[in-house]
Amino acid sequence: MMEINKEENIRLGLHRSDYMLDSETGSLLQIELNTISASFPGLGSLVSELHRTLINQYGKLFCLDSKRIPGNAASSRFAEALARAWHEFNVDSAVIMMIVQPEERNMYDQYWLAKHLKESHGITTIRKTLSEVEAEGHVLPDGTLIIDGRTVSLVYFRAGYTPNDYPSEAEWNARLLIEQSSAVKCPSISYHLVGTKKIQQELAKPNILERFLENKEQIAKICKCFAGLWSLDDEEIVKSAIQNPELFVLKPQREGGGNNIYGLDVRETLIKLQKEGGDALAAYILMQRIFPKASLANLVRGGACHEALTISELGIYGAYLRNKDKVLMNDQSGYLMRTKVSSSDEGGVAAGFAVLDSLYLTDK
Ligand code: ADP
Ligand code: MG
């Protein structure tokens, strides 16, 4: 696609920036920025609603006030951003195509976006796997993407972020077909790549944000959210991670949970990668391990409740839309609170590690 250098005027990003509260400094440090398939705008906002209702009913018993749970309109805001991108494309009969996994486990989260799109904006969403796109899709000479006889104005990826989503050439062909078309892609290839751990690490280097932002105060605010991030060509940091592996997380360029390396495995893997030589080390970055304060919570999974020491991760959704040089949306779009047993390294809800939760604001 870089060789073709195709013009992409309408850009839509539906992002989620994740943070943990570092207990030592009391500051929110960024875990990562998700630029593809940022999940749980649908179910996350329902859980905030559930908690507010429960506190309204039983809160007095525990001296809790439901107003302290901030409103969370993530699903309607993401649907609004999708609808505005659809309007920019400006073909009334066109549909939005959601790319999903063949055995999609998160369809009830995705459902809420499709529901808001239909009920509030009159826009139809179709769901297709990448292999269905390859079988049913083609691109007209003017760039129009046709799937199953229908014009697609926007392709919203809720799959396509892990190598498992590309088991054969068919899925790669489908991705290429989508890229070659004039449909808006959420995300575009470049936004997809911006979500990699490598770019996160590069952006945290001194004087890099200055290339993208002018306002010094904003730059300082953003830098305060960066944890320590290092490329593995830094021999000193690799040495100290081998000495104190518990203070680091080793991350490959993967999404979707379950891929990071923690604890003694950090030491073992680094030594192995050093022996392999070549580009082996370049596939990873090192990150400072963040230690949030643990607190007691009641977790409900599969209908069973159990009490455990837990830590939480806060995600802030953001929607960004531009057409050529004109920025049409750049908004905060609600939040996702996830809570997991403090002894678990990984954090994903769909990956089976965490549960959905809400924020409760206090005066301190
Ligand atoms: P993925 O793209 O697979 O979601 P993340 O970078 O979000 O990768 O890491 C997955 C989980 O691992 C996070 O949700 C968080 O619970 C935990 N984690 C990631 N980085 C750190 C860190 N620096 N310190 C502590 N925990 C971390
Ligand atoms: Mg993550």
Side-chain angles (χ1 to χ4, degrees):
M1 290 317 295
M2 279 178 88
E3 275 164 22
I4 303 170
N5 197 20
K6 185 162 142 285
E7 206 172 66
E8 296 274 328
N9 290 330
I10 308 171
R11 302 280 185 144
L12 174 66
L14 295 179
H15 304 147
R16 199 188 68 228
S17 185
D18 292 333
Y19 304 85
M20 275 182 174
L21 195 58
D22 179 44
S23 57
E24 208 173 292
T25 57
S27 46
L28 277 176
L29 296 181
Q30 186 183 46
I31 295 286
E32 64 156 347
L33 174 68
N34 298 282
T35 58
I36 183 166
S37 195
S39 61
F40 288 115
L43 297 181
S45 22
L46 281 185
V47 166
S48 310
E49 194 99 350
L50 168 72
H51 282 153
R52 211 172 296 116
T53 305
L54 285 174
I55 290 182
N56 271 335
Q57 281 182 20
Y58 306 108
K60 276 213 183 91
L61 283 174
F62 307 101
C63 299
L64 295 173
D65 174 5
S66 66
K67 288 192 207 70
R68 288 180 178 263
I69 297 183
N72 187 9
S75 54
S76 58
R77 291 208 178 164
F78 265 16
E80 191 194 330
L82 287 160
R84 283 188 69 175
W86 180 90
H87 277 290
E88 287 302 309
F89 193 84
N90 204 16
V91 174
D92 283 350
S93 60
V95 297
I96 289 180
M97 175 165 71
M98 199 183 299
I99 301 293
V100 298
Q101 292 179 330
E103 287 172 40
E104 185 58 65
R105 291 169 64 203
N106 226 358
M107 65 176 289
Y108 297 106
D109 177 50
Q110 299 155 359
Y111 164 82
W112 291 95
L113 294 177
K115 175 188 144 74
H116 286 300
L117 279 168
K118 191 71 190 171
E119 292 180 359
S120 307
H121 306 281
I123 300 169
T124 300
T125 307
I126 58 170
R127 299 166 60 83
K128 295 285 174 191
T129 63
L130 283 171
S131 71
E132 285 169 341
V133 170
E134 134 109 331
E136 299 167 21
H138 64 278
V139 173
L140 300 181
D142 71 351
T144 305
L145 177 61
I146 307 284
I147 305 285
D148 213 5
R150 308 174 90 158
T151 299
V152 174
S153 58
L154 195 163
V155 184
Y156 172 47
F157 286 91
R158 289 296 294 261
Y161 53 84
T162 139
N164 301 339
D165 289 343
Y166 300 87
S168 71
E169 276 307 302
E171 289 77 15
W172 287 111
N173 291 341
R175 184 84 193 249
L176 184 59
L177 187 81
I178 292 167
E179 287 305 318
Q180 285 166 336
S181 80
S182 60
V184 182
K185 296 99 190 157
C186 178
S188 63
I189 289 286
S190 45
Y191 283 18
H192 185 171
L193 291 175
V194 163
T196 57
K197 313 301 190 255
K198 185 66 194 168
I199 296 287
Q200 180 186 7
Q201 172 255 305
E202 286 293 316
L203 282 174
K205 277 184 176 171
N207 303 319
I208 298 294
L209 282 183
E210 280 76 357
R211 280 173 55 189
F212 306 99
L213 296 168
E214 279 164 19
N215 185 317
K216 293 243 165 2
E217 267 173 48
Q218 278 179 4
I219 293 173
K221 268 189 183 168
I222 293 173
C223 283
K224 262 179 77 177
C225 295
F226 290 158
L229 288 152
W230 303 274
S231 159
L232 272 69
D233 52 20
D234 181 337
E235 282 175 22
E236 280 306 304
I237 211 73
V238 174
K239 219 165 103 188
S240 65
I242 289 173
Q243 271 161 9
N244 296 301
E246 69 287 352
L247 301 181
F248 295 85
V249 182
L250 184 61
K251 296 190 172 186
Q253 311 308 313
R254 289 281 184 274
E255 306 296 330
N259 301 297
N260 296 337
I261 297 165
Y262 303 85
L264 289 176
D265 294 342
V266 171
R267 175 183 293 159
E268 241 173 61
T269 311
L270 286 173
I271 292 171
K272 193 184 89 200
L273 291 171
Q274 276 182 331
K275 279 196 192 128
E276 272 173 40
D279 282 345
L281 284 166
Y284 294 83
I285 64 148
L286 268 171
M287 185 172 181
Q288 160 199 349
R289 177 141 195 187
I290 302 162
F291 294 99
K293 203 175 125 223
S295 51
L296 267 183
N298 288 291
L299 305 153
V300 181
R301 263 199 100 88
C305 179
H306 69 279
E307 194 181 59
L309 260 185
T310 61
I311 54 177
S312 296
E313 183 170 349
L314 174 67
I316 303 291
Y317 293 107
Y320 178 88
L321 175 65
R322 78 171 158 85
N323 192 347
K324 295 192 179 131
D325 291 339
K326 199 161 165 218
V327 177
L328 303 166
M329 277 182 105
N330 189 4
D331 297 332
Q332 175 274 115
S333 314
Y335 69 89
L336 172 71
M337 191 68 167
R338 285 175 298 179
T339 294
K340 64 170 182 178
V341 173
S342 61
S343 56
S344 156
D345 291 327
E346 284 287 332
V349 174
F353 302 105
V355 298
L356 298 172
D357 204 350
S358 299
L359 274 177
Y360 187 88
L361 300 176
T362 61
D363 293 328
K364 267 201 294 181

